[in-house]
Amino acid sequence: MPLFAMGFLLVVLQPSTGQFPRACANTPSLLRKECCPPWDGDGSPCGELSRRGSCQNILLSQAPLGPQYPFSGVDDREDWPSVFYNRTCKCEGNFMGFSCGECKFGFSGRNCTERRLRTRRNIFQLTTSEKDKFLAYLNLAKNTPSQDYVIATGTYAQMNNGSNPMFRNINVYDLFVWMHYYASRDTLLGGSNVWRDIDFAHEAPGFLPWHRVFLLMWEREIQKITGDENFTIPYWDWRDAEDCVVCTDEYMGGRHPTNPNLLSPASFFFSWQVRTARGEGEGNYPT
């Protein structure tokens, strides 16, 4: 499985999560355009000695770009991740991840051969203790630095084609906020010019599969930091809802009594810091 396993647009842009492995966010990796970190289990790139995977040239689609996107060579996300890396780990069997160090979703065990079925539950069917544990896990993710990933704070051109890396640390929760932003943000045309005519994560064929894998990856990161391999994200069935019934202080937060743009002071999330997408570059993003 390639280094990055999600796509923001199946036709225009190549599969991507828009994430940057910490092990590859450095000048040597960027100048070589290679992201094939060693797997901790045997110390070889992509776990090749254990036949988990190997470092290979990325394969790009030869399909023509769709009419929705009239540009070429202006955005770092085009033909992802070729602007940053053209060699990544290709994982074999049920292995996946930037170093082939993880199991594909639905598998577990030392050799990723054990099937594991997890079931997501309706948030209103959780017990009080289960609901409180879910909120505590979110808070832990908000306050735990990601060990594996960093985020870009500049474009590839701003990084001087890799000789001046521009990345910074981020917590686990905000990593996924940033990934969502990076996939759906406006196209940067250079200078202060942007193109806003399409949202690659929401206005294209990749909408459903992109978000499906996005949630699977978010679940996995929370499983890792909590040690709870059975964790799943609860869902809200909003099909017949007339208003936001999860928007209460008991769940995801009610409205502030005097300012409708803020959360209620009694909300679990009231103290969370928020970044907004203002200004240029990749360092600003909404939560």
Side-chain angles (χ1 to χ4, degrees), residues 19-274:
Q19 58 180 256
F20 293 87
R22 184 182 299 277
C24 301
N26 54 68
T27 298
S29 295
L30 291 169
L31 292 180
R32 292 197 311 268
K33 303 197 73 171
E34 180 176 294
C35 185
C36 296
W39 173 53
D40 290 340
D42 64 13
S44 67
C46 312
E48 186 169 7
L49 292 178
S50 299
R51 298 184 179 179
R52 283 178 166 255
S54 58
C55 188
Q56 296 192 19
N57 295 333
I58 61 173
L59 298 177
L60 298 176
S61 171
Q62 300 303 310
L65 300 181
Q68 315 97 310
Y69 187 72
F71 305 104
S72 178
V74 300
D75 194 288
D76 287 351
R77 299 169 299 173
E78 295 177 35
D79 289 331
W80 185 268
S82 63
V83 170
F84 293 92
Y85 312 105
N86 53 35
R87 285 176 60 80
T88 63
C89 289
K90 179 181 179 181
C91 304
E92 304 295 339
N94 294 331
F95 302 115
M96 66 171 283
F98 58 82
S99 66
C100 301
E102 298 183 353
C103 298
K104 285 183 178 179
F105 303 118
F107 290 90
S108 63
R110 179 177 177 82
N111 296 311
C112 300
T113 55
E114 302 171 18
R115 276 282 188 181
R116 179 181 286 270
L117 178 65
R118 299 180 180 91
T119 303
R120 291 178 181 155
R121 298 170 57 195
N122 189 316
I123 194 169
F124 294 114
Q125 294 177 353
L126 301 181
T127 66
T128 299
S129 62
E130 290 171 334
K131 182 262 296 179
D132 290 345
K133 181 171 72 171
F134 168 60
L135 297 180
Y137 281 3
L138 294 185
N139 200 51
L140 178 64
K142 183 72 171 179
N143 290 281
T144 301
S146 173
Q147 297 299 306
D148 293 329
Y149 300 104
V150 293
I151 65 170
T153 58
T155 64
Y156 188 68
Q158 290 171 332
M159 297 185 197
N160 196 21
N161 298 330
S163 62
N164 179 36
M166 298 174 66
F167 300 96
R168 74 170 178 83
N169 295 325
I170 192 167
N171 65 62
V172 171
Y173 185 92
D174 284 351
L175 169 67
F176 286 86
V177 174
W178 186 86
M179 284 166 53
H180 194 272
Y181 152 76
Y182 193 74
S184 58
R185 68 155 170 76
D186 299 332
T187 299
L188 307 180
L189 300 179
S192 60
N193 298 317
V194 297
W195 187 70
R196 298 182 172 89
D197 287 5
I198 190 169
D199 175 341
F200 292 123
H202 301 94
E203 300 173 351
F207 172 73
L208 292 177
W210 191 94
H211 286 84
R212 180 175 178 82
V213 180
F214 177 85
L215 291 177
L216 286 168
M217 295 188 71
W218 187 35
E219 278 182 338
R220 172 160 292 178
E221 290 303 306
I222 293 181
Q223 290 163 4
K224 284 165 33 176
I225 64 172
T226 61
D228 185 353
E229 294 185 353
N230 295 314
F231 169 77
T232 57
I233 301 170
Y235 65 87
W236 168 39
D237 186 353
W238 50 267
R239 290 173 295 179
D240 298 320
E242 296 183 358
D243 53 22
C244 182
V245 292
V246 296
C247 298
T248 66
D249 290 338
E250 182 182 0
Y251 291 96
M252 307 313 292
R255 290 189 183 277
H256 194 283
T258 60
N259 187 340
N261 295 319
L262 298 177
L263 285 175
S264 163
S267 167
F268 188 88
F269 305 101
F270 179 74
S271 64
W272 282 25
Q273 296 296 307
V274 176

